[in-house]
Amino acid sequence: MRAEAITASQRSRQKGEDIMESSNHDREAFSLQARGLLDRGMYSVVRDLAETRLAEMPGDVEARTILCEALWGMGYDEEAQEIITEIEEIIRGYSEIYRLMGRICRDKGLAWEAIHYYERFIDLNPHSPLRPEVEKDLDRLRTELGASGGEDHPAPIADREPPPAQMATLSKWLANLENKKKRKRPGKK
């Protein structure tokens, strides 16, 4: 009986690997295939498919979400809840880039951009132990902008054009933003 269970598990895992291979690691194709299998109630195949994808791409939040749905469908509610907790941790980890970008922009004199990034960090990670430090930076930046007479608030970063392809590095992109800021200031060259 045990050997039959292992063989069935191996077949299911192989089927997941075959589906994964046919999807060519394309996220959209993976998602469509997995969701189609979920709709048909093929939870163990979806679990294997998602686990195979996660073995190759551990940071794939979509694969974790699909794995969670498969586990729920199989009745493994506790395991599904653990995955939700993992996803929340991943999102909090990703929020760190906004704090770092806020600091970089602050150090470059790009106050409005720094404020945007710091606010996004707090939105994504409101219970971070770093929140008081970020809020102090936000207060300082807002005070500095008020004391300098403040310039017109630029469009939010999300509403601006993305950096052109030829500006491949972050430092070039930041330098370009800084130059644009200098050109917009009246009386300065």
Side-chain angles (χ1 to χ4, degrees):
M1 179 73 171
R2 176 102 172 121
E4 291 174 8
I6 291 172
T7 305
S9 175
Q10 288 172 338
R11 279 194 307 264
S12 183
R13 184 169 303 280
Q14 182 60 46
K15 188 170 185 175
E17 288 173 2
D18 292 345
I19 292 171
M20 178 70 183
E21 194 172 298
S22 71
S23 74
N24 252 352
H25 303 289
D26 180 61
R27 189 171 142 228
E28 187 175 333
F30 162 76
S31 182
L32 288 172
Q33 284 180 319
R35 298 215 177 274
L37 292 167
L38 283 170
D39 290 345
R40 294 192 312 235
M42 300 176 74
Y43 302 118
S44 63
V45 173
V46 174
R47 179 193 61 206
D48 292 336
L49 174 65
E51 287 175 346
T52 300
R53 185 166 180 92
L54 287 168
E56 294 181 21
M57 298 177 210
D60 190 338
V61 175
E62 177 72 5
R64 287 182 192 277
T65 303
I66 287 170
L67 177 58
C68 185
E69 291 179 54
L71 290 171
W72 262 326
M74 297 170 70
Y76 297 122
D77 298 346
E78 193 172 305
E79 290 86 347
Q81 189 59 48
E82 288 174 17
I83 291 173
I84 290 172
T85 302
E86 287 175 14
I87 292 170
E88 289 172 349
E89 288 297 317
I90 290 169
I91 291 170
R92 280 193 286 278
Y94 288 159
S95 73
E96 180 65 11
I97 190 67
Y98 290 102
R99 187 182 70 81
L100 295 173
M101 286 300 299
R103 189 175 64 210
I104 290 168
C105 288
R106 179 200 66 204
D107 293 348
K108 294 277 188 185
L110 302 169
W112 288 116
E113 287 82 355
I115 288 169
H116 167 79
Y117 283 121
Y118 282 147
E119 288 174 343
R120 188 70 180 125
F121 169 79
I122 291 171
D123 288 344
L124 291 173
N125 200 351
H127 304 293
S128 169
L130 298 172
R131 183 176 180 157
E133 173 189 324
V134 170
E135 287 178 334
K136 283 181 188 175
D137 279 345
L138 275 168
D139 289 343
R140 222 174 301 137
L141 287 164
R142 289 176 180 138
T143 301
E144 288 171 10
L145 284 173
S148 69
E151 55 189 51
D152 288 341
H153 190 298
I157 288 175
D159 294 344
R160 296 184 196 168
E161 291 181 31
Q166 65 266 26
M167 299 181 114
T169 65
L170 179 61
S171 60
K172 287 181 182 177
W173 185 59
L174 286 172
N176 185 46
L177 283 176
E178 193 170 5
N179 288 335
K180 284 182 181 179
K181 181 179 177 183
K182 287 178 184 175
R183 284 193 300 256
K184 287 183 181 179
R185 287 186 186 154
K188 293 201 177 187
K189 293 183 181 180

